[in-house]
């Protein structure tokens, strides 16, 4: 807690430098603007709202729950041509095809996941699972991710996420596949199942838990209040969750995200995403080494206006953090589970 040291991340096979004393240094750097509190519930000019017209001229239906549509500016397309052969091994390219979708969580623009009801969050989880099943029938990787807040590059405050299905395994997926496979081979148990059992017993990095799930600030966390959402039981993919596991997932997501918002009493920015066993051709392969999990990467460090930047040493050497995961977990754990906007109700 007092002296710098490095910690090993077995999921990524790399190290992070922990320098807890640096959080005491005075901050004279950039200050971020807090997110706006006056987001209109419905705006006809917002392309994600019910009834609004999107950039391609299509009109959204008057949806009342979740709403999924093809991304109007997709990073991946299903019919992309083969790249030319450069003729030299230092200039390699490979085909990249896929599908990109956008999913709105709710028809109201001024609502975020922690302020939604449990049935509404459960509907989001069910829609995630449906998309993972649909796209995973043919594509080897389906990446569900949410960028929340302008600080994380989100250009629209309406509650939504993206789903990109690709014809290839992305870098992070390949890395986690290799490390989890090696761990199962060497230790006879899935890495993240063993890790969840250890964290549940030690409790020093535990944030919230219930019968089926736990949230921890991982021992190897890079971002200040990074968390890892883990099942207590072995499950490979989001679509494999039973009804009770989905209900408990909705509950623990709500509890975590309320704590995030309560930390600095602001709509807490983050990037999050689900990682599970590959799909498509991998559905016929043995993927027991995989354990479903979700990563939450929030950038805020000291307040709603001071963020952690990944620059300099982090870009050129290795990741570095300014407070210990145990300190971050203790602070999150101690926060109330009633949203700050609802305390006066």
């Amino acid at each position: 807690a007092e002296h710098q040291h490095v910690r090993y991340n077995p999921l990524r096979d790399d190290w992070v430098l922990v320098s807890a004393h640096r959080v005491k240094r005075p901050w004279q750097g950039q200050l971020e603007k807090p997110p706006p509190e006056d987001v209109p519930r419905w705006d006809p000019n917002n392309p994600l709202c019910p009834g609004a017209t999107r950039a391609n001229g299509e009109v959204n239906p008057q949806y009342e729950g979740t709403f999924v549509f093809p991304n109007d500016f997709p990073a991946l397309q299903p019919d992309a041509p083969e790249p030319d052969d450069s003729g030299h091994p230092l200039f390699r390219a490979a085909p990249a095809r896929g599908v990109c979708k956008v999913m709105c969580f709710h028809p109201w623009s001024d609502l975020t996941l922690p302020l939604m009801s449990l049935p509404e969050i459960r509907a989001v989880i069910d829609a995630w699972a449906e998309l993972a099943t649909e796209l995973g029938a043919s594509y080897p990787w389906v990446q569900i991710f949410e960028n929340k807040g302008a600080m994380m590059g989100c250009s629209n405050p309406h509650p939504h996420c993206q789903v990109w299905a690709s014809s290839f395994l992305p870098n992070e997926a390949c890395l986690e596949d290799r490390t989890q496979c090696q761990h199962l081979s060497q230790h006879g148990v899935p890495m993240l199942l063993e890790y969840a059992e250890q964290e549940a017993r030690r409790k020093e990095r535990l944030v919230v838990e219930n019968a089926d799930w736990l949230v921890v600030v991982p021992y190897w966390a890079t971002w200040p209040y990074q968390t890892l959402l883990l099942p207590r039981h072995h499950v490979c993919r989001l679509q494999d969750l039973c009804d009770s596991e989905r209900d408990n997932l909705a509950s623990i997501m709500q509890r975590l995200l309320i704590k995030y918002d309560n930390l600095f009493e602001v709509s807490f920015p983050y990037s999050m995403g689900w990682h599970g066993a590959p799909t498509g051709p991998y559905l016929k392969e043995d993927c027991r080494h995989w354990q479903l999990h979700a990563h939450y990467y929030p950038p805020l460090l000291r307040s709603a206006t001071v963020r952690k930047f990944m620059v300099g040493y982090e870009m050129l050497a290795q990741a570095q953090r300014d407070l210990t995961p145990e300190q971050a977990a203790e602070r999150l754990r101690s926060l109330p589970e009633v949203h700050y906007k609802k305390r006066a109700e």
Side-chain angles (χ1 to χ4, degrees), residues 266-314:
V266 69
S267 185
F268 206 68
Y270 58 73
S271 284
M272 71 81 64
W274 284 100
H275 283 175
T279 48
Y282 294 89
L283 292 171
K284 298 179 181 179
E285 297 190 7
D286 183 359
C287 291
R288 287 176 299 166
H289 54 289
W290 269 92
Q291 175 75 328
L292 175 70
H293 58 283
H295 297 282
Y296 284 84
Y297 298 132
L300 292 179
L301 172 59
R302 303 179 185 217
S303 68
T305 61
V306 177
R307 67 176 299 181
K308 165 71 175 179
F309 286 92
M310 290 294 179
V311 294
Y313 189 86
E314 290 90 351

Side-chain angles (χ1 to χ4, degrees), residues 11-37:
L11 194 57
R12 299 196 74 259
D13 189 25
D14 63 10
W15 295 79
V16 57
L17 172 62
V18 182
S19 310
H21 57 284
R22 275 171 54 85
V23 80
K24 300 175 184 177
R25 75 191 193 280
W27 181 257
Q28 295 178 317
Q30 179 173 323
L31 298 179
E32 307 292 338
K33 292 182 179 180
E37 296 283 344

Side-chain angles (χ1 to χ4, degrees), residues 33-40 109-110 112 149-151 154 156-157 266-267 340-341:
K33 292 182 179 180
E37 296 283 344
D38 57 347
V39 176
S109 293
D110 60 342
T112 55
M151 197 181 301
C154 183
N156 194 312
V266 69
S267 185
Y340 72 91
K341 288 187 176 181

Side-chain angles (χ1 to χ4, degrees), residues 15-287:
W15 295 79
V16 57
L17 172 62
V18 182
S19 310
H21 57 284
R22 275 171 54 85
V23 80
K24 300 175 184 177
R25 75 191 193 280
W27 181 257
Q28 295 178 317
Q30 179 173 323
L31 298 179
E32 307 292 338
K33 292 182 179 180
E37 296 283 344
D38 57 347
V39 176
R41 179 155 293 181
W42 183 81
D43 181 354
N45 296 315
N46 186 329
L48 298 186
C49 282
T53 302
R54 302 204 308 275
N56 62 358
E58 292 192 22
V59 178
N60 296 334
Q62 294 292 340
Y63 65 92
E64 298 181 352
T66 59
F67 170 51
V68 178
F69 62 92
N71 194 313
D72 297 328
F73 303 96
L76 294 164
Q77 296 177 323
D79 54 357
E82 296 271 340
D84 294 333
D85 185 358
S86 72
H88 193 285
L90 291 179
F91 302 93
R92 295 167 58 191
R97 301 183 179 94
V99 172
C100 297
K101 293 183 179 290
V102 176
M103 187 179 106
C104 296
F105 297 153
H106 197 279
W108 295 356
S109 293
D110 60 342
L111 210 59
T112 55
L113 279 172
L115 293 169
M116 289 166 57
S117 69
L118 288 176
E120 289 169 337
I121 299 174
R122 168 65 195 266
V124 170
I125 294 166
D126 289 340
W128 282 342
E130 289 172 11
L131 281 171
T133 301
E134 172 196 337
L135 298 173
S138 53
Y139 287 102
W141 190 255
V142 180
Q143 184 59 66
I144 298 167
F145 65 98
E146 178 193 5
N147 294 325
K148 182 180 176 226
M151 197 181 301
M152 298 309 291
C154 183
S155 60
N156 194 312
H158 194 94
H160 72 285
C161 72
Q162 298 190 53
V163 183
W164 294 10
S166 61
S167 61
F168 55 92
L169 285 188
N171 294 342
E172 293 296 311
C174 286
L175 187 54
E176 290 193 3
D177 185 65
R178 175 176 65 80
T179 57
Q180 289 181 96
C181 188
Q182 288 175 346
H183 188 93
L184 180 65
S185 176
Q186 294 171 5
H187 302 281
V189 60
M191 177 199 294
L192 292 180
L193 181 61
E194 181 179 7
Y195 178 68
E197 292 170 349
Q198 286 288 322
E199 290 287 31
R201 181 173 59 82
R202 296 169 184 252
K203 297 195 180 300
E204 57 188 329
R205 285 169 294 276
L206 189 65
V207 178
V208 287
E209 62 180 329
N210 61 27
D212 292 311
W213 301 88
L214 70 157
V215 175
V216 300
V217 177
Y219 178 78
W220 51 79
T222 299
W223 294 92
Y225 292 96
Q226 176 180 336
T227 55
L228 185 62
L229 173 55
L230 294 165
R232 289 184 179 272
H233 312 291
H234 189 213
V235 56
C236 288
R237 300 178 177 93
L238 192 65
Q239 53 267 46
D240 298 336
L241 297 174
C242 67
D243 277 344
S244 61
E245 290 170 330
R246 294 185 187 196
D247 285 340
N248 281 331
L249 176 56
S251 174
I252 204 163
M253 282 175 55
Q254 184 188 62
R255 293 170 63 195
L256 169 65
L257 297 180
I258 286 174
K259 284 180 177 289
Y260 268 164
D261 280 10
N262 284 344
L263 179 61
F264 299 128
E265 295 197 348
V266 69
S267 185
F268 206 68
Y270 58 73
S271 284
M272 71 81 64
W274 284 100
H275 283 175
T279 48
Y282 294 89
L283 292 171
K284 298 179 181 179
E285 297 190 7
D286 183 359
C287 291

